[in-house]
Amino acid sequence: MACCFPVILDRSMRSSFKLSKSSSSNKLNKSKSSICSPTSLSMKKESVQENDHLVVCFGELLIDFVPTASGVSLAEAPGFKKAPGGAPANVAVGIARLGGSSAFIGKVGADEFGYMLADILKQNNVDNSGMRFDTHARTALAFVTLKADGEREFMFFRNPSADMLLTEAELDKNLIQKARIFHYGSISLIAEPCMSAHLAAMETAKNAGCILSYDPNLRLPLWPSAEAAREGILSIWDQADIIKVSEDEITFLTNGEDAYDDNVVMTKLFHSNLKLLLVTEGGDGCRYYTKNFHGRVNGVKVTAVDTTGAGDAFVGGLLNSVASDPDIYVDEKKLRDALLFANGCGAITVTAKGAIPALPTKEAVLKILDGATAN
């Protein structure tokens, strides 16, 4: 698969695009091609504090290429700048940036991009010992832009990419069992063998008593069809303890029903095992739903520069609070305070370009929230 757009690369990265002779069929059948690189072991598990606050994030880790010019389509972009991406990894870094304890489990290629991503997690104090490296598949690439009309445009290069090839045998189940919270998305449900690995990881976490946190993070271009995406996302819906969705995702999952109707949310999306359902509304804040109460928390007003990663920052902020107080959803005042903090995390993230570089520290969030209330 050739890239048809000009890409600006650092000199040290130009060798990353060497051609691979491995066929797609070989990639799918050679689980033994995975390696546990010294890079992934450079942060040993012992570096994660032995406490009850660990959040393990499972899923994709990739390279985003974003245009060097703003408000253009991918075809119009004069060039691209690389940035680490992948919602679960962003959440892991967000938690660590706030002073929490996090780990990431996923697969990348045994290539320069894959090793770069592992190093970025390590540099951000995320335990990367659960990462695996595939010698026959490349690290996933995504080209993403925010056009002048406000619409996001994506183009993905996964044919297949390494993240799709993670197997159950490669899971670090001991790491999962140490977690207080196990967080995941839906992209890892799209194809085998990663789907089976995802389901096995969830089962391990559930049996270990972990809180299951789910952010579907809908990316329609990656699914075979809209119906496949809807069925895939909902197939694990009733197993989660915490779910975060956007307004657009509600409309999609309910086949066009009103995302602002509390009755729609409670009847179509809330389930008996769910402790907390969150609906993010961008700069306007969020809504929350539990078995006993529901409401909304206002957003924090800022001037947005780049909305990439804002939802992941929100999730990281919330999960960091839940890891410290697992019963926070029972006390509405505590929950509202935690959601205001999470809104602050998202707000700060949109004030700078890129997801991981813009993720805030706890001190920065408290500063921006000084004087704000959860009303």
Side-chain angles (χ1 to χ4, degrees):
M1 182 183 300
C3 173
C4 56
F5 302 109
V7 179
I8 298 172
L9 295 175
D10 296 335
R11 180 179 300 174
S12 62
M13 299 180 61
R14 290 175 183 164
S15 61
S16 299
F17 286 97
K18 294 177 182 177
L19 295 177
S20 170
K21 296 182 180 179
S22 302
S23 67
S24 296
S25 58
N26 286 340
K27 293 174 188 174
L28 289 169
N29 294 314
K30 291 188 177 181
S31 61
K32 65 183 180 180
S33 65
S34 297
I35 59 174
C36 184
S37 162
T39 307
S40 71
L41 296 178
S42 58
M43 176 178 286
K44 298 180 180 179
K45 292 179 190 176
E46 290 85 335
S47 66
V48 172
Q49 297 177 4
E50 292 297 332
N51 58 34
D52 295 329
H53 300 169
L54 176 64
V55 180
V56 172
C57 300
F58 174 93
E60 67 279 4
L61 177 57
L62 62 150
I63 298 292
D64 284 335
F65 284 99
V66 295
T68 53
S70 300
V72 298
S73 69
L74 291 177
E76 295 167 339
F80 294 86
K81 181 179 179 180
K82 71 180 187 299
N90 291 342
V91 171
V93 173
I95 291 167
R97 189 75 55 81
L98 293 169
S101 178
S102 65
F104 176 78
I105 292 178
K107 198 173 191 182
V108 293
D111 52 42
E112 288 189 37
F113 283 148
Y115 295 130
M116 181 191 82
L117 291 169
D119 286 340
I120 287 173
L121 292 186
K122 178 189 173 186
Q123 291 162 12
N124 283 278
N125 299 315
V126 175
D127 179 358
N128 64 5
S129 63
M131 287 184 67
R132 299 295 178 260
F133 297 77
D134 197 300
T135 58
H136 289 83
R138 294 300 191 190
T139 300
L141 307 180
F143 289 78
V144 57
T145 187
L146 184 66
K147 296 189 291 185
D149 61 4
E151 289 296 315
R152 296 178 77 184
E153 182 182 5
F154 294 92
M155 180 177 289
F156 296 94
F157 287 75
R158 306 166 84 228
N159 193 35
S161 53
D163 61 293
M164 301 166 67
L165 304 180
L166 182 71
T167 66
E168 179 180 355
E170 294 170 315
L171 291 175
D172 188 338
K173 294 186 177 181
N174 289 330
L175 181 59
I176 296 172
Q177 290 166 347
K178 292 179 181 179
R180 170 164 280 183
I181 301 173
F182 181 70
H183 176 73
Y184 49 89
S186 68
I187 290 176
S188 44
L189 296 171
I190 295 174
E192 291 287 9
C194 190
M195 182 176 74
S196 292
H198 182 140
L199 298 177
M202 284 179 59
E203 182 179 11
T204 299
K206 196 75 171 180
N207 290 339
C210 301
I211 296 169
L212 299 189
S213 168
Y214 185 23
D215 177 1
N217 194 35
L218 175 64
R219 292 291 181 265
L220 267 180
L222 294 178
W223 292 86
S225 67
E227 188 55 35
R230 191 176 293 109
E231 290 180 3
I233 289 171
L234 293 175
S235 68
I236 59 170
W237 195 264
D238 62 357
Q239 297 184 54
D241 299 297
I242 299 172
I243 297 176
K244 172 259 173 187
V245 288
S246 68
E247 299 159 296
D248 290 342
E249 287 167 341
I250 291 178
T251 301
F252 174 77
L253 293 172
T254 61
N255 286 297
E257 296 203 37
D258 186 1
Y260 298 92
D261 187 333
D262 290 339
N263 187 57
V264 168
V265 174
M266 290 300 291
T267 58
K268 297 297 180 73
L269 297 178
F270 203 90
H271 62 77
S272 59
N273 297 321
L274 196 57
K275 295 180 175 67
L276 178 62
L277 176 62
L278 299 165
V279 180
T280 52
E281 300 179 344
D284 293 329
C286 67
R287 284 176 278 154
Y288 58 90
Y289 301 84
T290 73
K291 294 177 181 178
N292 300 317
F293 51 79
H294 65 87
R296 71 182 310 278
V297 177
N298 290 331
V300 180
K301 300 304 179 183
V302 294
T303 300
V305 173
D306 179 8
T307 60
T308 305
D312 303 328
F314 172 90
V315 172
L318 175 69
L319 295 186
N320 190 53
S321 297
V322 175
S324 299
D325 186 359
D327 294 323
I328 200 169
Y329 59 88
V330 177
D331 185 321
E332 188 169 9
K333 184 183 184 304
K334 283 185 178 181
L335 177 60
R336 291 178 63 84
D337 288 343
L339 291 175
L340 179 62
F341 183 87
N343 284 344
C345 291
I348 291 177
T349 302
V350 306
T351 61
K353 287 191 174 183
I356 286 179
L359 292 168
T361 63
K362 183 177 180 179
E363 291 72 23
V365 179
L366 293 176
K367 182 177 181 180
I368 199 174
L369 293 180
D370 187 25
T373 67
N375 293 332

